[in-house]
Amino acid sequence: MTFSLPDFRRKWSCRGYMSAGAAIVTAALGLSLVLVDRAEARRQTSPLDIFGIGAPRPRPAVHSARIPLPRPRPEEAPKAPEAAPAEAEDKPSRDRPSPDKPAEAAAPPEKQASACRLALTEEIAIAPSIPDIRGPGACGGEDLVRLEAVVLPDKRKVTVKPAAILRCTMASAIADWLRKDMVPLASSLGSTISDLDNFDSFECRGRNRVAGAMLSEHGKANAIDVRSIKLANGQSIGLTDRTMPREVRERVLHSVCARFSTVLGPGSDWYHEDHIHLDLAQRRNDYRICQWNVWDPLPQVAPLLPAERPEEAPPREVAAKPEVKPEVKPEAREGADEEGVEKAPAPAEKSAAKGGKSRPHKPATKKRR
């Protein structure tokens, strides 16, 4: 069945007024004819449709797959445990959070110990680990310990007073210094080490406590200030004490300058006149600073009081006291002078008495006032 535009115009003339019903019938008839033509075109394959796009594709046949069923349970098999009661199912387990209670935050993984921490055992030092410090600015550090004591090879302990908060590497360097260098020095003095005087360790501050200065190694827990080392016999090795022998202080100087990257003492600045600063600061090309002048001992001052006189010393001679002449009044001086002139021996007599020679006598004359 074909439909063309001239036939439509001949049968349904549009010159007059068309009714609404005729227009609806015409539109429905045209739509049905178009759908019929498209269906016939799909059934007949077009010669130009090489790839078969216009032709309907047949659907593949659906085959039902056989699902294997489990084998029946043998009679001699043990019985399965009975199911838990419904009340137990309603209770939330510890691992599974309940809707009323939110799940707890997972615990952070434990931090692995460093190589220094594994090497710094209780046979070397009593230094428990402490949490990392995050202070203002760049203050603080990681892998920190609280150095309480150093264990010597003979199992004796050198107490650090007060306990120092240091990095593990710095604490290990202090322990090696005491065990390998200071123990032989104390043995040469006839004793052993008992205490280490810790003047300062971790403190979040600038260098020399100057406002606005660069961050000190103390703020990084990488430095310690030492004033003295006390021995078991009560003696104390003052590192800046000028009364100590110079040889002892020089041995300490050589040992610390070989082990630490920074050594500051007397002569570096007036901040380090009474203690020694030690740290392990990292610098370019492994640059080191060792500024410590070992001053000579102070000169011995003579005692204020004289030494006691020995008993076998001869007695001291006491000098005769000079006679004090009484004062003479002016009125009596003239008479006294006359009497003195008369009573005074002549010079000739004195010379005669001494040498035996006589000189001419001169008359005494009265002096005018």
Side-chain angles (χ1 to χ4, degrees):
M1 180 178 181
T2 59
F3 182 77
S4 61
L5 185 60
D7 296 338
F8 176 78
R9 290 180 177 178
R10 180 174 54 83
K11 292 182 178 181
W12 305 94
S13 177
C14 297
R15 295 177 181 178
Y17 296 99
M18 296 177 61
S19 61
I24 294 172
V25 171
T26 304
L29 181 61
L31 181 60
S32 61
L33 292 177
V34 171
L35 294 176
V36 171
D37 292 343
R38 288 186 178 181
E40 291 180 356
R42 287 183 179 180
R43 292 177 182 177
Q44 299 178 1
T45 305
S46 175
L48 299 177
D49 190 4
I50 302 175
F51 301 98
I53 298 175
R57 298 178 181 179
R59 295 182 179 180
V62 179
H63 300 281
S64 59
R66 294 182 179 180
I67 301 175
L69 298 177
R71 297 179 179 179
R73 187 178 182 84
E75 297 181 356
E76 60 275 9
K79 295 182 179 180
E82 297 181 357
E87 296 180 358
E89 295 179 359
D90 296 340
K91 293 182 180 180
S93 61
R94 296 181 180 179
D95 300 335
R96 183 179 59 186
S98 62
D100 299 337
K101 184 179 179 181
E104 297 180 358
E110 295 182 0
K111 188 177 180 180
Q112 295 182 356
S114 62
C116 175
R117 177 68 271 183
L118 296 176
L120 193 64
T121 61
E122 294 184 355
E123 297 180 357
I124 299 176
I126 307 301
S129 299
I130 62 175
D132 299 342
I133 298 177
R134 303 294 182 184
C139 283
E142 300 177 352
D143 195 16
L144 304 180
V145 299
R146 185 174 63 254
L147 183 61
E148 299 176 356
V150 176
V151 182
L152 300 181
D154 58 356
K155 303 305 179 181
R156 295 186 181 182
K157 295 182 180 179
V158 179
T159 307
V160 180
K161 295 183 179 180
I165 297 177
L166 301 169
R167 294 189 180 186
C168 180
T169 53
M170 185 63 187
S172 179
I174 293 292
D176 292 342
W177 171 56
L178 292 177
R179 289 165 56 91
K180 298 180 181 179
D181 295 347
M182 293 298 100
V183 169
L185 177 61
S187 300
S188 64
L189 299 177
S191 183
T192 183
I193 308 174
S194 62
D195 299 333
L196 177 69
D197 187 3
N198 171 29
F199 186 61
D200 190 16
S201 57
F202 171 73
E203 184 179 358
C204 186
R205 60 174 175 84
R207 292 181 179 177
N208 300 325
R209 294 185 176 88
V210 177
M214 294 181 62
L215 181 65
S216 172
E217 292 297 318
H218 288 279
K220 303 176 184 178
N222 198 31
I224 188 174
D225 292 341
V226 181
R227 284 190 295 190
S228 63
I229 299 174
K230 296 182 179 180
L231 305 181
N233 60 0
Q235 187 180 1
S236 178
I237 303 176
L239 303 185
T240 60
D241 187 5
R242 297 178 67 175
T243 60
M244 289 294 300
R246 183 184 178 90
E247 295 77 10
V248 175
R249 290 177 288 151
E250 285 182 347
R251 288 182 61 180
V252 179
L253 169 65
H254 296 325
S255 65
V256 294
C257 289
R259 291 186 176 274
F260 301 94
S261 60
T262 306
V263 178
L264 300 176
S268 60
D269 51 37
W270 67 276
Y271 295 99
H272 301 88
E273 292 296 325
D274 59 346
H275 66 274
I276 304 300
H277 171 90
L278 308 174
D279 68 43
L280 290 176
Q282 297 292 333
R283 300 184 182 89
R284 186 178 300 175
N285 299 328
D286 196 18
Y287 181 74
R288 292 171 174 263
I289 297 176
C290 184
Q291 298 178 357
W292 176 8
N293 294 336
V294 180
W295 305 117
D296 292 330
L298 293 174
Q300 294 183 358
V301 181
L304 299 178
L305 298 177
E308 295 182 0
R309 185 177 179 83
E311 297 179 356
E312 60 274 9
R316 296 177 179 176
E317 296 181 359
V318 180
K321 295 182 180 180
E323 296 180 358
V324 180
K325 296 182 179 181
E327 295 182 359
V328 182
K329 294 182 179 181
E331 295 81 4
R333 285 182 181 178
E334 294 180 0
D337 292 341
E338 295 177 356
E339 294 177 357
V341 171
E342 295 176 355
K343 294 181 179 180
E349 297 178 358
K350 290 183 179 181
S351 61
K354 292 182 180 179
K357 295 182 180 180
S358 61
R359 292 183 181 181
H361 176 71
K362 292 182 180 181
T365 57
K366 185 179 179 181
K367 295 180 180 181
R368 294 182 182 180
R369 296 181 63 185

